[in-house]
Amino acid sequence: MAYMKPHKPSASKSGNSSSNVALAAVALQDHMTRSLSLKDPFKKKKINHSLPAAARNKKTNKAVVNTSKEGDDKEEYVLDPKPAPLTLAQKLGLVEAPELLLSDKEWRKIKETSNARQDSSQPCVICKEDFGLQQQVLLSCTHVFHRTCLEAFERFSGRKSCPMCRKEQYQRRIIHEGAKEYRIKCATRIQAAWRGYIVRQWYKKLRQTVPPKDPKLRKKFYEDKFQSITDRLVQSMEARNQSVDDLLLEIDQSIAVSRHTMRQLDGETGETLAETDWDQVQLQAVQRCVTDCPICIMPLTDQGLYKKNSSSRPTVLLSCSHVFHATCLEAFEEFSLDKRRVCPVCRSLYRKKIL
């Protein structure tokens, strides 16, 4: 039996496999070195303060941190830091590469999904309180929480998992939808309170000026009005050190003087009646068919109103078409305290004519 030598691989194949193994080993070693490398805590990094905070954070590949007051910044930003460049092992597929950050378009779709469920208008799932002006974080799984509540949940659970859907390794983004809802709610409350105040003031003024239709309320309305007038009158009199009786007496005297003046004016400015007017007045008196004097209840005359009366009991015709004995009317005028000439029957001013 002939001796057979063992098969040896060709030089080219053995060289390629050995180089691949060496490359994989180097890549894994480099990856482990980078992942396990420790930074020098005593080495301080120089910071260029001339650049804005957003530019400095972008240059150092760190997440943008909001240092302004809660709810003041209207710009949205991602909390997760930008991942480090891929190592050779990750590029070769030997180690799983980290998840890339979502784009603005993807975040926009996630926020639209959350807004469609109206998550920002509802309380936070963790603390059961409204978002208000506190920082609100949106996860890549479309759920929203308070930033402080989510960080406290992560510290308590010891892992990065969504409190709602339990999705791990999520991405976070600061949004302000809850602050917008809170501002709208506050503006609505302020406007409702202001409108209510305006309506109450309008109704109060209406009740002070227009009396109600209900008899009981109308009575109370006028009682309150009269009471307010009386109170102001008493306060004004106390301020002047004068009694109310003196004031009322002064008012009565002023009214009496005013009446006397008006009566004098009425008597002085009265127009005289023409002869034709007296004929009309006498005709009205004849048509009334009054034969007795309204004062003494005695016959006026036996000869009628159109004939000359006797000298003993002359009659007088007033401009109001009433007829009296001249002596009776003169006695009535003398008996009256007021100098104003008023008819004893109709109480109207008159002019007289002896028949």
Side-chain angles (χ1 to χ4, degrees), residues 70 123-131 134-137 139 144-157 159 161-163 170 172:
E70 296 182 353
C124 175
V125 180
I126 300 176
C127 64
K128 300 298 181 181
E129 294 182 0
D130 294 336
F131 288 101
Q134 300 180 17
Q135 286 188 348
Q136 181 185 8
V137 61
L139 305 186
V144 292
F145 309 94
H146 282 131
R147 180 179 179 181
T148 54
C149 295
L150 182 63
E151 293 176 352
F153 180 81
E154 291 175 353
R155 289 194 301 268
F156 178 77
S157 61
R159 60 176 182 171
S161 175
C162 176
Y170 49 75
R172 303 169 298 171

Side-chain angles (χ1 to χ4, degrees), residues 189-347:
R189 290 181 179 178
I190 293 172
Q191 291 176 359
W194 176 251
R195 291 193 183 108
Y197 172 77
I198 294 297
V199 171
R200 287 193 297 271
Q201 293 296 322
W202 171 80
Y203 183 78
K204 186 177 179 181
K205 291 181 180 179
L206 179 66
R207 282 302 177 205
Q208 290 178 354
T209 55
V210 179
K213 296 181 180 180
D214 189 12
K216 294 183 179 180
L217 297 178
R218 182 184 292 268
K219 181 180 179 181
K220 188 176 183 303
F221 172 81
Y222 286 114
E223 287 179 354
D224 296 340
K225 283 287 186 183
F226 184 74
Q227 184 66 34
S228 62
I229 294 172
T230 304
D231 294 341
R232 291 199 302 268
L233 179 62
V234 172
Q235 292 177 0
S236 63
M237 295 306 300
E238 290 179 354
R240 296 170 55 185
N241 295 326
Q242 186 178 3
S243 62
V244 180
D245 296 336
D246 296 339
L247 177 62
L248 296 177
L249 180 60
E250 183 179 352
I251 292 174
D252 293 339
Q253 292 176 356
S254 299
I255 293 174
V257 172
S258 300
R259 286 179 178 176
H260 181 70
T261 304
M262 296 302 296
R263 288 172 182 174
Q264 288 182 348
L265 291 174
D266 292 340
E268 292 176 358
T269 59
E271 297 180 356
T272 58
L273 297 178
E275 192 65 24
T276 56
D277 296 332
W278 281 114
D279 294 338
Q280 292 293 334
V281 173
Q282 190 173 5
L283 180 59
Q284 293 177 4
V286 172
Q287 292 177 355
R288 192 179 286 111
C289 299
V290 177
T291 59
D292 296 334
C293 176
I295 298 176
C296 64
I297 318 299
M298 296 295 291
L300 292 170
T301 178
D302 296 335
Q303 300 177 357
L305 296 175
Y306 288 94
K307 297 181 180 180
K308 189 176 180 180
N309 297 320
S310 61
S311 59
S312 59
R313 299 293 300 272
T315 56
V316 61
L317 176 64
L318 304 186
S319 58
C320 57
S321 73
H322 292 108
V323 183
F324 302 89
H325 288 131
T327 55
C328 295
L329 184 61
E330 291 176 359
F332 180 81
E333 292 176 350
E334 292 177 358
F335 178 78
S336 179
L337 298 176
D338 194 357
K339 295 181 179 180
R340 186 184 181 187
R341 295 180 178 181
V342 179
C343 176
V345 178
C346 61
R347 301 296 179 183

